[in-house]
Amino acid sequence: MRYWFPYPLLSFALMLFWLLINQSLSPAQILLGAALGISHAWLMVNLRPAKTSMKKAWLIGRLIGRVAADVVRSNISVMGIILRSRNRPVTSGFVPIDITLQDENALALLACILTATPGTAWLEFDSQTRVLLLHVLDVENGSAWAELIKTRYEAPLKELFE
Amino acid sequence: MSHLTDLPLWAAIPVCLLLLSGSMITLIGSIGLIRLKNFYKRLHAPTLGASAGVILICLASMLCFAVLQSRWIFHEVLIIVFIILTTPVTLMLLGQSALYRDRIEGTDGVPLKAKPISPKADETDI
Amino acid sequence: MELVLSAGIGVLTASGVWLLFRPRTYQVIIGLSLLSYAVNLFIFGMGRLRVNAPPVLEPGGVGGLLTHTDPIPQALVLTAIVIGFAMTALFLVVLLASRGFTGTDHVDGRE
Amino acid sequence: MLLILTLAPFAGSLAAIVFPSDKSTAAAWFSGVVALLCLLLVAGLYPFVASGGVLRYELRWLPELGLNITLRMDGFAWMFAGVITAIGLLVVVYARYYMSASDPVPRFFSLFLAFMGAMLGIVLSGNIIQLAIFWELTSIVSFLLIGYWHHNAHARDGARMALTVTGTGGLCMFVGLMLIGHIVGSYDLDAVLSSGNVIREHPLYTTVLILILLGALTKSAQFPFHFWLPHAMSAPTPVSAYLHSATLVKAGVFLLIRLWPVMAGTDAWFWIVGCAGLTTLLLGAYFAIFQQDLKGLLAYSTISHLGLITVLLSLGSPLAAVAAIFHTLNHATFKASLFMAAGIIDHETGTRDMRRLSGLFRHMPITATLAMVASAAMAGVPLLNGFLSKEMFFAEAIETHKYNILDTITPYVATLASMFAVTYSLRFIHSVFFGPPPHDLPKIPHEPPHWMRAPIEFLVLACLVVGVIPTLTIGPFLHTAVQSVLGDATPVYSLAVWHGWNLPLAMSLVALIGGVILFLLMKTYLATSVEGPPFFRRLEGQRIFERVLVTLSWKWARWLERTASSRRLQPQMRILVFIAFAAGAIPLFLQGFKPAAIALRSVDPAFALLWFIGMICAVGAAYQAKFHRLAALVLLGGAGLVTCITFVWLSAPDLAVTQLLVEIVTTVLILLGLRWLPKRIEDSNDPELMDFSVRMRRLRDLALALACGVGMMLVSYTVMTRNVPDTISSYFLERAYSEGGGTNVVNVILVDFRGFDTFGEIAVLCIVALTVFSLLLRFRPAAESLEKPEQQRIQNAFDDDHPDRKKGDSIAEYLLVPSVIMRWMFPVIGMLTAFLFFRGHDLPGGGFAAGIAMSIAFILQYMAGGTRWVEERLRIHPLRWMSIGLLVAMATGLGSFFFGYPFLTSHAQYASLPILGKIPLATAILFDLGVFSLVLGATVLILIALAHQSVRSPRAQIKAARAAAKETV
Amino acid sequence: MTELFIIWSILASQIILGLAMGCALFRMVKGPRAQDRILGLDALYINGMLLLLTFGIRTANTIYFESALIIALLGFVSSIAFSKFLMRGEVIE
Amino acid sequence: MNWANNLIILPILLPMATAAALIPIDDRNRTLKGVLSFASTVVLFVATVILIGVVSSGEAAGTSVYMLGNWPAPFGIVLVLDRLSALMLALSAVLGLAAQVYAMARWHTAGSHFHSLFQLLLAGLNGAFLTGDLFNLFVFFEMMLAASYGLLLHGSGPMRVKAGLHYIAVNLAASSLFLIGVSLIYGATGTLNMADLAVRITTLGPESRMLMEAGAALLGIAFLVKAGMWPLGFWLPTAYSAATPPVAAIFAILTKVGVYVIMRLSLLLFGNEAGTSAGFGQDLLLYGGLFTIAFGAIGVLASQAMGRLASYSILVSSGTLLAAVGLGNGAVIGGALFYLVSSTLTTCAFFLLIELVERGRDAGADVLAVTMEAYGDIDEDEPEKEIGVAVPGTMAVLGLCFCACAVLMSGLPPLSGFLAKFAILHELFNESGFGGNMPITAAQWIYVALLILSGLAAMIAMNRIGIRTFWTSIEGTIPRVFLIEITPVLLLLAATVFLSLQAGPAMRYMDATARALANPSNYTDPVLSAPRAGPTEGG
Ligand code: NA
Ligand code: NA
C-alpha cells in the first residue's frame, strides 16, 4: 500500500488541486485527478522529501484561524507604518529567535506564516545554532516578537508535526 | 457567457468593496516600496499585496463568479494558496542575499553571523 | 487601445533597435529580446485589437470575426514566441562561447 | 570523320595521362600515332574539300539556344587542320628526343594532344559559340603547357600572363560572337558568313568588331597585347615550336580570316586592325633585333610576322587576304623549324644566350644549314617561301585601299620592318653558328640524334620546295583555302617566283641590303648589349601588365573590399536596419501614406498606465544593458510582463500563458549565462564618452532607432485602426469545432489547421537544443570566469574557517527552508502541466505551454538542490524525450496515410464513455503529446547543458592550470 | 446604476493596481541595489497578477484565470533565480 | 491520394525522421549514424529524382499540390511542387549527399549531433522549397537557419564562434523583418497563402496595396540578407569560410534559398497581372544584384584564402541570379536557373576541395590545430592521427579538380559554368527569340560586362591561388586524403560535366520552368482549386 501510494496526503491534495483548477466534480475528472495525483506522488518519491506525519491534524484549523487574524492585524498596522513613514519614520530591526522546531516541513510552514503576515520577514536560519534571524518592521511596537512567534506559531506547529 | 452587468446590486457592492480595498492595500504596499528607507524595511512592503491584496481581490472574484455562474467552486483559492506558499521563498532568499551582500560590504546596522573572511570589497552592484 | 499599443510597439522597437547597434553582446541579446516583444505585438496587432473576444468557441458553436478576435495572428505569435525563445537561448550560448574564446564581450570578438 | 578527327586528340590526351611516367617513349609513340592518324584523316578529306565542298557534321547539344556541336570543314579549315596535324606530328617526333626523362612526359603529351584537339576544334567549328569554346580551351591548355616546368618562376609568370591576356580576350570575343548571333539570329558559321551586310550595317557593328578584335589580337599577340608571347617562351621548346608557329597565335589570325568576309572592309576595321598590325609589325621586328635569347628573338619575330598578316587582313582587299593566308602557311613552316633548331641548340649546348653562343657551325653543320635556310625564309630571301608571301605583301602595301595616312605609310613601314627582319635573321645565324669557337658552354655541343633533326629537315625542305615551285606544290591547296574564304570574290593571283622588275622587288632589295648594312653596323653592339631594345627597354609590356594587374586585382580590390564592406557587426546591423527602414518606408511614402488620425477617446487609462510602465521598462533595459546587466534583465522582465498582460487584455489568453512561461525560462536562462559574463565596471570618466565622434555615432544610432520606432508605431496604428480585410480566419472560426474538434481556435490552428507550422517550430526548438548542447560540450569559459564566483569562494572560505561548519553549509542553510517548498512544488507544477496539456484543445494551453511548464518544474529542482542532487534522484533523458517527441508528432501525422488522407489530417471525435461522459478524442492530442515531449526535452536540455558548465568548470580549471604549468616548465 | 457603479469601481481598482505597478517599477528603475530591483520585479508580478484578476471580473470571463494562476504558481521561479544569483553568483550549482 | 502525391512530403519528413531517430544514438557510434543518415539522403535523392520526373512528365500542368491536414489551399498549409521546387529539392539532395559522404571521413567527429543537424537542415531547406504558405516559409526558414547555426558552430573554436555570432545576430534581425513583413501582408490582405495572395493582389485597394508592398519589401530585405546581396551580405564570407568544409559545402545552397524565394515571390506576386504592383522591387533587385556581382568579384580578387574566395564567388552567383530576376525578362530566368545549378554544384565541390588541398599546407595545419584544441576540452576519443592516405597521384587529382573548379567558376568552357553564362547572355540578347533584334538596354550592358568581368576576376584569383598552391608549394608533402573525401568532389564535378553534356534536356527543363514561372496562373490555379481528399478515395 505504501508502495503504491507513497504520499496519500499529497495525492489527495493534488487531486483536490486538479478538481479546483478544472472547476469540475464530474466522475471523469475525479478519476483523472486521482490517477494524476497518484502518479505525481510517485514522481515525488525520487526526490525523497523528508517524511512528515501530522499528529494532530485538527490543530491546523486553529492555526489557520489564528494566522488569518494576524494577517488582518498586521496588514493594518503595516499600512499605517507606510502611510506615516514620512512624518514618523519607523524603527525596524533584526530579531534573533531560537527555534526548536526540527521538522523541515514545519519550518517551511512557519516561514510561510511569517511572510504572510506583513511586518515580519524571515531572513536567515542558522542550522547549527538554530537561530532564526527575523527582520521586524516595527520593533518598538513589538519588542516581544520573539516570544510571540514562539508561542503563537512555533508551539502549535510543534504540536502538529512532532 | 454571462455578463458583468447581470450582477445584482447586493453582490456588486461587496465585490466592489473587496476589489477597491484589495487594490488599495496593494497600492499602499507598493508605496511602501518607494517610501521605506532601507531594503529590509522595503522587504515587508510587497507582502501587503501578496497577502491581503491577493486574498481580497480573489474573494471579489470568487463572489462575482459564484453569483454570475451560480457555482461553488472557487479556483481562485488556488491563487491565494500558491501566493502564500511561494512568496516566502522569494523573500527569504532575497533577504538572505541582501544580508550576505551587506555583511560583505560591512554596511552598518546589519547583524553579523560570525565574522566572514575579509572580502575583496569591491562587490558593488551588478 | 490601438494608440497605446502602437506607441508601446514603437518604444519597444526603438529600444531594441538601439541596442542592436551597441558593441556588447549582452546589449545585443537584450535588444533582440525587446525587438521580439515588439514584433510579437506587431503581428498580434495585425489581427486588430478586441477586448474580451477570445477565439474560444462555445462547444458545438461556430465563431465569426464579429464575436471573436482573429485567431491567426495569435497562432503566428505563438510560433514566433517559441522560435524567439529558441533563438535567444542559442544566441546566449554563442555569446558565452565567444566570450570564452576571445576573452571579450565585444560583438567583434576584440575591443 | 570530322567527329573522329576532333575527338581523337582528346581521347589520346586522356589515354596518354595514364601512361606511367617512366614509359615516356611509349607515350611519345602513342601520341605520334594519334597525330599521324589525324594527319591521315585530314589528308583523306582533301578530295572532298578540293572540289569546293563543305563537310559538315552536326550533333544536337543545346538546340534551344542555337548551340550545337557543328563541325565544318571547308578548304580553309582543311588547310589549317593540315598545318596543325602535320606540324603537330613533327613536334611530337621532335619532343620525343627533346623531353628529358626526369620530366613527367606523359603529362606533356597528354596536354599536347589536348591542345591539338582544341586547335582542331577551333578550325573545324561550324558554330561560332563552339569556336569560342575551343578558343578558350586553347588558352587553358596552353596555360598548362607554358607552365609545364612550373618549378620555374618564369614559366609560371609566363603561363599566367598568357592565360590572363588571351583568356580575357577570349571572353570579350565570346560576347562579340554572341552579339553576332543576336544580329544574325544564328550562331551557325554558314549563316554568319552569309550575313556580312547585315552585320556591317548593324548599329552594334563597332561594338562587335572591337570585342572580336580584342579576342583575335590578344591571341595573335598584336600590339598592345603582344607582351605575353615572349614570356611564354619559358615553355619547353616543342611547345613554343607548336604554339607560336602553327597554332595558338595563329588562332587569332584564323579568326580574322574566318570572319574577314563578314567584318572586314569598313573604316573601323581598317583603322583598328591596320594600326595594330603595323605597330606590331614594326615593333616586333625592332625588338627582335635586340634579343639575346634565341627564343626571344624568334618570339618577337613571330609577333612581327603576325603583324604582317594582320596588316594584310586590315587592307580589306581579297588579294591581301590571299597573301595573308599564304604567309600564315609559310610562317608556320619556317618558324616551327627555327624554334626546333633553337631547341636543338639549347638542348645540345645548354644555353640560348646569343652572347655565349658562337661558331657552332663546326659542331653541328647540318642543323646550322637547316637553320640558315629557315632564317633566310624568315628574312624573305628569294627562292624560299617567305619571299613569295612577302612580295605579295609589298605589292598590296603599295596599293591604295583607303585614302588616309595609315594607308600612305604602309609601304614604308613594311620596308623598314622587312629590313629589320633581315637584320635579326642574320643576327640569329651569325651569332650562333659563326664566329670564334664556343667556349665555356654548359655542354659540349654536337649534332642531335637524327630523328630529332628530321622534322626540321622536312620543314626546311618544304620551305625550299614551296619557294622554288610554288604553283606545283602549295598552289592547289592554297587555292582551295582561298576559295573557301573569299568565295566568288576570289581574285586572280599568281604564285610565280618571278614577276619581273617591279616596286615590290625593289622594296625587297632595299630591305635586304639595308638589313645587311644595319646588321653590320650593330654587330658589335649586339654582341655584348643587355637584353631588350634601346629606347623601349624601360617600357616593358610585361612589367606594366604585372603592375596594372597587381594594382587592379590586388591593391585596389583589397582596398575596395575593405571600403565597400565591413567585417564588424555594428555597421552591418546599421546598414541592415537602415535598408529595412527605407524598404518599408519608401513604398508607403511614394504612395502617399497617411497614418490614421489619432483618436484619444478610446484609450483605457489602466491600459495606458500599463504601457507607460512597459515603455519605461523597455527604455530602462536599453539604458542599463551595458553596465548593469542584472538591472537590464529585471527591466526586460517588466517589459515581458506588460506584454503578457496586454495579451490577456486583448483576448489572447493562449499567448499570455505561453509568453509568461517563456518569460520565466528565458530569465533563468540568461541568469545562468550571466555567471559566465564577468561584470563590467562603469568607468565614469570613460574617454569614449568625451569623444565627439562617438557621440555623433550614438546620435545617429538613436535617430535611426527612433525612426524605426516611429515607423512601426505609425504602421501598426494604421493597420489596427483599419477595417478587417476579408481574412481566411473566418474559415477557421467556423470550422474549429465542427471539423477541428476543439473550441480553442488558436490551439486547433496550431495542432490541426496549421499543424505543420507547429511541426516545423518544434523542429527548430530541437535543433537549437542540439546546437546549444554540442556547443556547450566544447565550452571554454573566459579566464576570469574559470573560478567559482566570488560569493561562493567567500562562503566556502567561511565554512572552512569555522570548525563547526563543513563546506557547503552556507548554501544548505540558505536553501534550507526554501528548498522544502520548491521540492513540494514539483508535483504541483506537474499537475499544472497536465492541466495545461489536456485542456489545450478546448481552452488556452496546449502541448507547448505544458512542456515549458514542466521544464520549469525540473529547473526548480535544480535550483533547489543543485545539479548533482537532482541527477542522483531523477533520470533525465532530454535527448530521448526530444527524439520521441518528434517521432510521435510525425507518427501521428503519418497515421492519416492509412486512411488515405494527407499528412497531419486529424481525426476528431467526442467519445461517450460510461461514467466518464463525453471526452474529446482528437488525434491532434497525440500530436500535442509529441510537442509536449519535445518542448520539455529541448528546454530541459538547454537549461541543463548550461547549468552543467558550473559542474564542469573545476575540471576545465584543472586543465588550464596544468597547461599553464606545462608552459612554465 | 449598479452597472455604472461596478464598472467605475473596477476601473478605479485597475488604475490603483496600475499605480501600484508603477511604484514597483520605481524600485526596479531606481534600485539602488540589485536586491531592490528584484524585489520591485516580484511586486510587479504580483500586482500584474491582481490586475489580471480584476480584468477577469471586468469581462466576467474566467478564461484569463490561467495566466494569473501561472504567475501565482511559477512567477516566483525567476525571482528565486535572481536571488540565488545574487547570493551564490550562479543559479544552479 | 496516391503514393506519388504523398511523395511530395517525403523530402521534409524523411530527413526529420532520420534526425529524430539519430538523436538518442550515442555519439560514439558516429559511423552508424553516418551510414543511416547517408542511406536516408540516398532515398531522398531518389525521391527528388522521381519528383522531377513527376513534374516534367506534364501531368497536372507541372504543379502538384499537397494539402497538409487535408485543409484546402488558402486556409490550410499547402506544399506546392512545381518544376522550380523539384529542381531545388534535387539540387539540395545532391549537395547533401556530397557533403555527408565527405563529412564521414572525419569532420563529423568534430562535434556532436552532426548528422541530426545536417538532416534537419535538409528538411528545412526542402520545406522552404516546397511550402506555398508565407508563414510556413518563415518556419522552415528558421528551421534551416537554426540548423545552419548549429552546423556553422560545429567543431567550435574561436573563428567559428566569432563568425557564428555575427551570422546569427544578422539573421535574427532579418528574421524579425520576415515576421513584420508577413504579418503586415496578412494585416493588409488577410491571407498567408502565396497563391491566394497573388490572386488578391489584383483587387487590392490603394491603402491595402501600399501596406502590402511595404510588407513585401521588408520580406524581400529578409531574403536578400540570406541571399547575401550587397550591402546586406558582409556576414557571409566570414561565416562560410569559418565553417567546416562539409558544412560550407551544403551552405552553398543556403543563399540560393533566398534567391529562390525572391524569384518565386517576385514572379508570382508582382508579375504582369499584379496591377500597379507589377514589377515591384525589380529595380532594387537589378541594381542590388549588379552591385553584388561587382562586390563579389572584388572580394574574389581580394581573397588571400581559398575559403573567402569561394564565399565571395557565392556572392557573385547570388548577384548574378538576383540581377537576372531584376531584369524583368522572363527568358533570362531559364538561363539563370541553369547557372544556379551549375554554380551551386561548383561552389559545393570547391568548398570540399579546399580543405583537401590545404591539408598539406600550413593553413590546413591551422584548421587541424583548432580541431585538436577543441578536443582538448572534453574527454572524448581523440581524432585519428592519420588523415587519409597519401597516394602519389593525389596531387594530380586534386590539381585537376582545382582546375575544373577554376574553369567552372570563371565561366570558361567547356564545363557548365560557361554554358550557364552563355545561356544567360543568349536569353538576354535574344529576349524575344533568336534574331528578334530587340535593343539592348544600358542595364543589360552593365550586366553583361559584370558577368564577364566577374568571370575574369575568378580566373585571375583562382589562377593566382592555384599557382601558389600547386606550382610553388614545397614538394614532397603529398596531402593525405581519404577516398571518401575526394569521391564527392569528383562526383560533383562529374555532375557539372553531366550537366554540360546533357545541356539540351537540362535547358529545356529550365526554360519550361521559366515559362511556367512567368505565368502565375500556372501556380495559382492548381493550388487554389486542388480538391480535398475524401473518404471515398482512401482505404
Ligand atoms: Na511577513
Ligand atoms: Na653570339
Side-chain angles (χ1 to χ4, degrees), chain D residues 529-546:
Chain D
S529 71
V530 293
E531 181 100 23
F535 311 122
F536 294 101
R537 198 172 285 138
R538 304 260 97 214
L539 197 85
E540 243 192 296
Q542 175 237 0
R543 213 174 288 161
I544 296 169
F545 169 79
E546 289 283 356

Side-chain angles (χ1 to χ4, degrees), chain F residues 358-388:
Chain F
E358 287 188 334
R359 199 172 275 174
R361 293 157 46 88
D362 291 343
D366 288 344
V367 174
L368 192 64
V370 169
T371 328
M372 296 291 281
E373 170 201 343
Y375 270 99
D377 232 21
I378 59 161
D379 309 318
E380 229 185 289
D381 46 340
E382 294 277 306
E384 309 91 309
K385 290 279 183 292
E386 292 281 291
I387 317 151

Side-chain angles (χ1 to χ4, degrees), chain D residues 756 897 902-903, chain F residues 1-15 44 47-48 50-52 54-55 60 62-68 78-82 85-86 89 123 126-127 129-132:
Chain D
F756 204 51
F897 281 175
F903 186 69
Chain F
M1 281 279 123
N2 54 13
W3 69 270
N5 204 357
N6 278 329
L7 201 61
I8 296 177
I9 200 174
L10 186 90
I12 299 172
L13 292 188
L14 179 70
L44 175 67
T48 56
I50 295 174
L51 288 178
I52 283 199
V54 169
V55 286
T63 305
S64 311
V65 179
Y66 190 88
M67 287 181 294
L68 286 153
V78 287
L79 302 182
V80 185
L81 179 80
D82 65 353
S85 45
L89 288 179
N126 294 342
F129 292 138
L130 279 172
T131 188

Side-chain angles (χ1 to χ4, degrees), chain D residues 561 591 726 777 780 955, chain F residues 200 213 312 377-379:
Chain D
E561 188 226 18
Q591 299 179 45
D726 168 30
L777 275 184
R780 285 195 315 170
R955 211 191 326 164
Chain F
R200 285 185 188 212
E213 285 184 1
Y312 274 115
D377 232 21
I378 59 161
D379 309 318

Side-chain angles (χ1 to χ4, degrees), chain D residues 68-341:
Chain D
N68 287 320
I69 311 266
T70 312
L71 298 172
R72 175 184 180 281
M73 185 189 258
D74 58 4
F76 180 59
W78 182 88
M79 185 193 91
F80 253 93
V83 170
I84 291 163
T85 47
I87 297 194
L89 177 61
L90 296 176
V91 171
V92 168
V93 173
Y94 176 77
R96 147 80 182 82
Y97 296 95
Y98 182 87
M99 297 307 288
S100 133
S102 59
D103 291 324
V105 175
R107 197 206 295 169
F108 172 84
F109 283 111
S110 167
L111 288 172
F112 186 85
L113 286 177
F115 184 80
M116 193 164 101
M119 253 341 268
L120 282 173
I122 291 184
V123 299
L124 294 179
S125 283
N127 183 300
I128 51 177
I129 299 303
Q130 183 196 332
L131 187 147
I133 292 178
F134 283 111
W135 182 280
E136 291 290 36
L137 262 186
T138 59
S139 298
I140 296 166
V141 181
S142 71
F143 163 76
L144 296 172
L145 276 170
I146 296 171
Y148 178 72
W149 283 325
H150 54 72
H151 41 80
N152 177 350
H154 289 294
R156 293 198 298 265
D157 291 345
R160 174 162 51 179
M161 205 191 315
L163 177 64
T164 312
V165 175
T166 61
T168 310
L171 285 172
C172 295
M173 182 198 77
F174 164 60
V175 177
L177 292 175
M178 295 226 48
L179 284 173
I180 288 190
H182 165 69
I183 295 169
V184 174
S186 170
Y187 299 122
D188 194 86
L189 189 58
D190 286 321
V192 171
L193 289 178
S194 62
S195 319
N197 286 330
V198 182
I199 295 172
R200 281 190 296 269
E201 281 151 24
H202 198 272
L204 285 174
Y205 170 74
T206 324
T207 319
V208 172
L209 179 69
I210 291 173
L211 287 171
I212 287 182
L213 287 180
L214 276 173
L217 299 183
T218 50
K219 200 81 163 183
S220 54
Q222 295 298 289
F223 180 85
F225 310 113
H226 61 282
F227 51 86
W228 67 265
L229 197 141
H231 291 274
M233 290 302 137
S234 330
T237 301
V239 172
S240 308
Y242 195 49
L243 265 55
H244 307 314
S245 66
T247 51
L248 184 65
V249 293
K250 289 292 165 59
V253 172
F254 172 83
L255 185 76
L256 287 180
I257 301 176
R258 189 86 275 185
L259 294 180
W260 190 87
V262 182
M263 310 287 293
T266 60
D267 283 339
W269 169 277
F270 181 76
W271 271 102
I272 301 174
V273 181
C275 275
L278 272 183
T279 322
T280 315
L281 169 68
L282 194 62
L283 276 187
Y286 175 69
F287 277 47
I289 299 174
F290 298 98
Q291 297 303 306
Q292 297 296 5
D293 181 357
L294 270 182
K295 282 174 79 176
L297 186 149
L298 293 178
Y300 278 107
S301 129
T302 301
I303 292 174
S304 171
H305 279 273
L306 291 167
L308 189 155
I309 300 171
T310 309
V311 172
L312 278 170
L313 290 169
S314 78
L315 299 177
S317 90
L319 261 176
V322 175
I325 297 172
F326 190 31
H327 194 71
T328 306
L329 264 180
N330 295 336
H331 175 253
T333 331
F334 61 71
K335 196 47 70 62
S337 60
L338 279 172
F339 267 116
M340 290 188 205

Side-chain angles (χ1 to χ4, degrees), chain D residues 409-430:
Chain D
I409 62 167
T410 308
Y412 305 103
V413 175
T415 318
L416 189 62
S418 191
M419 195 169 90
F420 288 163
V422 174
T423 310
Y424 64 68
S425 303
L426 259 175
R427 170 156 195 251
F428 178 81
I429 299 305
H430 182 267

Side-chain angles (χ1 to χ4, degrees), chain A residues 16-17 19-25 71 74-76 78-87 89-92 94 108-109 111-113 115-126 133 135-137, chain B residues 24-25 28-33 35-36 38 40-45 47-49 51-53 55 69 71 73-75 77-78 82 84-89 91-92 94-96 99 103 109-111 113:
Chain A
L16 215 61
F17 170 51
L19 294 177
L20 266 178
I21 200 173
N22 278 296
Q23 306 175 69
S24 160
L25 283 170
V71 167
S74 55
N75 261 296
I76 293 167
V78 170
M79 273 196 286
I81 289 170
I82 290 172
L83 292 174
R84 275 175 287 135
S85 66
R86 188 153 300 163
N87 312 331
V90 70
T91 337
S92 60
F94 298 91
L109 208 54
C112 291
I113 293 168
T115 313
T117 51
T120 52
W122 178 300
L123 275 183
E124 193 178 52
F125 180 73
D126 190 321
L133 186 64
H135 186 266
V136 180
L137 188 58
Chain B
M24 258 338 271
I25 291 175
I28 292 169
S30 300
I31 289 173
L33 273 179
R35 293 182 81 172
L36 294 173
N38 75 33
Y40 300 100
K41 288 184 189 169
R42 291 196 281 268
L43 198 54
H44 299 275
T47 49
L48 284 180
S51 56
I55 292 169
Q69 299 177 5
R71 63 184 170 95
I73 297 169
F74 310 115
H75 60 330
V77 170
L78 290 173
F82 289 131
I84 287 179
L85 275 178
T86 58
T87 317
V89 181
L91 295 186
M92 257 185 269
L94 204 54
Q96 258 177 287
L99 204 55
R103 280 174 181 159
V110 178
K113 193 181 202 171

Side-chain angles (χ1 to χ4, degrees), chain D residues 358-514:
Chain D
S358 75
L360 284 184
F361 192 85
R362 330 161 207 229
H363 298 283
M364 36 176 72
I366 303 174
T367 309
T369 314
L370 293 171
M372 280 191 279
V373 177
S375 301
M378 176 162 76
V381 174
L383 292 182
L384 290 167
N385 60 354
F387 172 73
L388 296 174
S389 43
K390 195 185 64 180
E391 284 298 286
M392 292 167 89
F393 169 52
F394 283 160
E396 275 306 304
I398 52 180
E399 287 288 311
T400 302
H401 303 279
K402 305 267 173 185
Y403 296 92
N404 59 31
I405 178 151
L406 198 62
D407 204 12
T408 322
I409 62 167
T410 308
Y412 305 103
V413 175
T415 318
L416 189 62
S418 191
M419 195 169 90
F420 288 163
V422 174
T423 310
Y424 64 68
S425 303
L426 259 175
R427 170 156 195 251
F428 178 81
I429 299 305
H430 182 267
S431 65
V432 174
F433 296 113
F434 299 101
H439 58 94
D440 197 22
L441 287 176
K443 286 181 185 169
I444 309 295
H446 55 81
E447 281 287 349
H450 176 250
W451 280 103
M452 189 171 181
R453 221 171 46 214
I456 311 183
E457 288 163 357
F458 177 82
L459 288 169
V460 169
L461 187 69
C463 289
L464 262 171
V465 170
V466 171
V468 179
I469 38 167
T471 31
L472 295 182
T473 50
I474 198 73
F477 303 117
L478 184 64
H479 187 72
T480 316
V482 165
Q483 188 119 46
S484 71
V485 174
L486 299 177
D488 298 337
T490 308
V492 182
Y493 61 92
S494 141
L495 286 179
V497 178
W498 180 250
H499 285 110
W501 291 102
N502 53 11
L503 194 51
L505 189 63
M507 289 162 76
S508 279
L509 284 175
V510 170
L512 263 175
I513 295 164

